[in-house]
Amino acid sequence: MPEADEFIDLRSDTVTTPSEAMREAARDAEVGDDVYRDDPTVNELERRAADAVGTEAALYVPSGTMANQIAVHVHTEPGQELLLERESHVYRWELAGAAKLSGTQTRTIDAGDRCVPTPEAVREGLVEEDLHRPGTGLLSLENTHNYRGGTAIPVERIAAAAEAARDADVPVHLDGARVFNAAVALGVDASEIVAPVDTVTFCLSKGLGAPVGSIVAGDEAFVEEARRVRKLFGGGMRQAGMIAAPGLLALENVDRLADDHANAERLATGLDALDGVRAPEPDTNIVVAHTEAAGIPASDLAAACEDAGVGCVEFDEHATRFTTHLDVDGDDVDAAVDRIGDVIAELA
C-alpha cells in the first residue's frame, strides 16, 4: 500500500484537512460560552450562515446528522409520520434517528432518478390523522442527493414537492448537506433552493472544508426551539468559537466547489473509459462507478483500491462512490484513474 502522503482519499469530502488559515483562525478565535450565547465567533457564524441560505436565523451544531434530527424533532410530535425519499440520507444513513429520538414513523417514496418526489407522489404519501392512522408531520427532501450520485435537483422540483406538502399544512425540511454544491452546479444562489422550504441543514465540514460542524436554519421561532433540542441531544457547546472560526472561512469556499465538480467530471470520464466500468457524468462532486459488467463487487473494488492507494466507499452491490474535494487536484484524479485501472484489470 502506498505511503500516507501518496494516498488519494476519495472516500468523501469529509476527509478534507483544515487550511493553515483555518488553523490560525481557530487559535486566535474570540470565544465565550455558547450555551449562554456568549461566544461571539459562533454568533457571527450563525448570522452569516443564515444570510447564506436566506433564512431568518441559524444554529451551529456538531454534525449534519444532528442537524437533520433536530429538525425532525422540532417539526413533529411522537407518533406522527415523516415522509421522505427512500434513498435519502435521513432515512438510509442516520440510524433510525427519527424513530429513536423523536418517536416518528417513516413513510418512504421512491423518487428514482428524479431524486425528489413529484407533487402527485407527495399528495399520495401524505396521511391525515384519524382513529387508525398517524398524521404526516413533516416532508423531508434532499439536495444534492447523496445516494443518487450527488444529483443537483432543480429549484422548481423542490418547490413543486414543497408546495404539495404545505398545501396540506405539512412543513418541509431540506437536507442540504451539499446545498452549495447544488447551487454552484445549477448556477443559482443557495437561497433560491431554500426559499420553498421551511428549514434547511448544510454541512461546513464537507466540500466547504471546515474541520467540524453543520448548520440548521429556519425562522426565528424554529431556531429558538432547535436550540433547546440541540441541548437535549447533547449538542450544547461551550467555547465553540475555536471550531466555528474555521466555519466562517469555509463559507468563503463556495465558489471553488466548481473545481471539485470539474475534477469529478474528469474522474468519471477516466473511469467510464475502463473496461467493464460505467461511470455516468456527475452533476457535482460525487462519482458512482458501476462494475456489474466487469463482474466486480463493490466490496472487492473498494478493498483493492485501498491497497492501491485510492480511498472509495462501497455504495451498493456493484456501485462504488468516489468523491472529489479541495484536497484533490487534477493530477490526483489522473493518478487515481491509473491505479483504479490496474485494479480493474487484476480483478476482472
Side-chain angles (χ1 to χ4, degrees):
M1 181 173 174
E3 297 296 326
D5 60 353
E6 298 178 354
F7 190 76
I8 303 168
D9 200 343
L10 301 174
R11 289 174 298 168
S12 176
D13 44 10
T14 60
V15 303
T16 57
T17 54
S19 65
E20 285 304 312
M22 287 183 177
R23 294 174 187 270
E24 291 174 7
R27 183 195 63 202
D28 297 337
E30 187 178 357
V31 298
D33 191 319
D34 182 47
V35 172
Y36 291 116
R37 308 192 193 189
D38 289 342
D39 192 301
T41 306
V42 173
N43 294 342
E44 177 63 16
L45 174 60
E46 291 173 346
R47 284 192 292 270
R48 286 182 49 189
D51 287 344
V53 291
T55 59
E56 288 182 358
L59 181 69
Y60 182 49
V61 302
S63 73
T65 293
M66 180 180 284
N68 283 329
Q69 293 304 322
I70 286 173
V72 171
H73 198 84
V74 173
H75 283 302
T76 64
E77 297 178 1
Q80 286 188 314
E81 280 194 345
L82 167 63
L83 185 65
L84 70 181
E85 207 278 324
R86 79 177 179 92
E87 301 295 357
S88 64
H89 193 280
V90 173
Y91 181 69
R92 189 179 177 98
W93 306 114
E94 296 188 9
L95 291 170
K100 285 188 172 184
L101 301 173
S102 301
T104 303
Q105 177 170 287
T106 51
R107 174 181 294 274
T108 61
I109 300 172
D110 184 1
D113 291 340
R114 282 182 57 90
C115 302
V116 63
T118 63
E120 294 76 19
V122 171
R123 285 190 284 267
E124 184 178 335
L126 296 172
V127 175
E128 222 176 290
E129 181 181 354
D130 63 21
L131 180 62
H132 304 286
R133 305 181 75 186
T136 304
L138 178 65
L139 170 68
S140 180
L141 307 174
E142 183 173 334
N143 199 10
T144 64
H145 197 297
N146 175 29
Y147 185 77
R148 305 287 187 185
T151 301
I153 302 167
V155 175
E156 57 270 21
R157 290 189 185 177
I158 296 288
E163 183 179 6
R166 295 172 75 174
D167 283 347
D169 293 325
V170 172
V172 183
H173 172 67
L174 179 66
D175 175 3
R178 296 181 176 90
V179 72
F180 294 106
N181 289 90
V184 168
L186 296 170
V188 301
D189 192 87
S191 62
E192 293 183 46
I193 298 173
V194 174
V197 304
D198 295 284
T199 56
V200 64
T201 57
F202 67 85
C203 289
L204 298 164
S205 56
K206 288 189 168 74
L208 300 183
V212 63
S214 287
I215 296 291
V216 56
D219 63 26
E220 294 278 3
F222 167 82
V223 170
E224 281 303 301
E225 183 60 24
R227 192 176 297 276
R228 294 186 72 253
V229 177
R230 182 185 69 172
K231 184 71 161 60
L232 172 68
F233 288 174
M237 298 177 284
R238 301 302 178 177
Q239 287 70 38
M242 296 186 72
I243 53 174
L248 284 166
L249 295 180
L251 289 175
E252 300 174 4
N253 281 338
V254 171
D255 289 343
R256 64 144 311 280
L257 292 172
D259 297 337
D260 296 343
H261 299 175
N263 282 329
E265 185 175 353
R266 183 172 182 163
L267 176 62
T269 299
L271 295 179
D272 197 61
L274 300 176
D275 288 343
V277 178
R278 180 174 61 87
E281 181 179 343
D283 283 355
T284 56
N285 67 322
I286 293 175
V287 175
V288 180
H290 302 270
T291 52
E292 299 99 325
I296 301 172
S299 56
D300 292 351
L301 178 61
C305 281
E306 182 176 359
D307 289 341
V310 178
C312 55
V313 295
E314 177 185 354
F315 231 30
D316 215 329
E317 186 176 0
H318 292 95
T320 306
R321 187 186 78 172
F322 300 84
T323 307
T324 57
H325 50 78
L326 59 78
D327 286 349
V328 171
D329 61 20
D331 289 341
D332 293 323
V333 168
D334 293 342
V337 170
D338 288 342
R339 295 179 191 181
I340 297 165
D342 290 343
V343 167
I344 294 291
E346 292 175 5
L347 294 177

